[in-house]
Each structure stands twice: as structure tokens, then as C-alpha cells.
Amino acid sequence: CVIDLPKGAEHPENMKFAGQLDLAKIAPYDKSNLLPKSGQLLFFVDDKDNGKVIYADVENTDLIRIFREHEDNFYLGVLIDKISAETETIEERYFTEKDEEFEEDMLNENGKMWNDFAGTEKSKMFGIYTHCQQGEEYILEFMKSNRVVLLQIGGNGFNDEGVFNVLIDKEDLKNRNFNNCIFEWAQS
């Protein structure tokens, strides 16, 4: 993997590089104004649910390129070459009668059938929380909480399988405190 670390920062021991975001390039798409407008966010994770987020408000010219080889998830080194702002709706998380998986006997009290795997292919910041091992009720409760999806890496070329999430409390994000992030793998 190619990693551009801020001067003085070190690759966390026993962790894999998961991603790096240039916030100046993302800022025009951050309609919520929750992210810093400049700097770098770097994400590292181990083989469990432990990780580290490094935020450094530095110019790209002040980054030092290092190379770290590893196998398993994130080894492909996918380059994000297109950023867009999209709006997700909770309706996208339900099957429709046209879907092969739709079963009348699985409808909830609102006459809808939850799709545990909807959204798992997306890589994103913010949006609707995705976890294929948690059901509709859990996801809807999360949406009412003060936590947000800081980063979701989906199965669209980044991982071998599953979804990787980094969650953060909005107050921590506002205060640029990335020490309390929650790291989750969701695999079926």
C-alpha cells in the first residue's frame, strides 16, 4: 500500500492501512459541514474491531510517502477517482414486490420487508448506517443517535467481502476528536 503520512506520524503497529482522504477535495461535497475543510484523515484497522483515525491539518506537500505491504482486506490499493454528493433514503433499504427475495410473510407492521444487504456495496462518508448483521430496528435506532458514519468501505472493489464502518459521535467530530471512533466489520 502507498500511504502519505504527515511528518512525525507513524504507521500504527499491527494495523493495516484502510484509507486516506484529502479533506480539501471532499469539502465541496460535505453539505453537512461536519468535516474539517482541509487536511488528511487516515484510517487504520487490525483484524478485529480495533482501529485508529489520524487527522492532520497539513498541506499535501508536507506528507511523506511510505510503502507497507499486507494481504487480506484493503490490499488492493483502490484509488478513489470520483467523488459525488448523493442522498440516501431509508426506502432504499426495503425490498420491493419486484425483487426476487420479496416474501409476503416477512413484511413488517408497515407492510415492508427489510433488506439486510442493501447499501453494502457502497463506500461513503455519512449516509445511512449499513450493517448486514443488524436488523431494521437497530439501524433505525442508530439514525436517531448522535453518531454518524465517518467512513464506510463497501464491497465495491475495496474489500474481499463485507462492509467496514468507522463511526463517530457528532460532538467528537465537531471537536476534531478522533480517539473515540468505533470500528466495525459486518460480514454475512
Side-chain angles (χ1 to χ4, degrees), residues 42-66:
L42 294 99
F43 299 86
F44 300 88
V45 65
D46 66 8
D47 292 326
K48 298 178 178 67
D49 284 337
N50 300 304
K52 181 175 179 119
V53 176
I54 297 173
Y55 168 64
D57 192 6
V58 297
E59 297 292 326
N60 289 353
T61 54
D62 292 331
L63 298 171
I64 299 170
R65 181 155 289 176
I66 67 165

Side-chain angles (χ1 to χ4, degrees), residues 78-89:
V78 175
L79 179 65
I80 300 169
D81 61 352
K82 183 180 175 186
I83 301 171
S84 64
E86 298 177 15
T87 301
E88 291 182 290
T89 67

Side-chain angles (χ1 to χ4, degrees), residues 92-108:
E92 296 171 37
R93 297 300 175 102
Y94 295 96
F95 284 108
T96 67
E97 291 181 24
K98 296 175 188 173
D99 294 317
E100 287 181 28
E101 297 87 352
F102 185 83
E103 298 178 26
E104 293 267 344
D105 62 336
M106 299 285 291
L107 300 179
N108 65 16

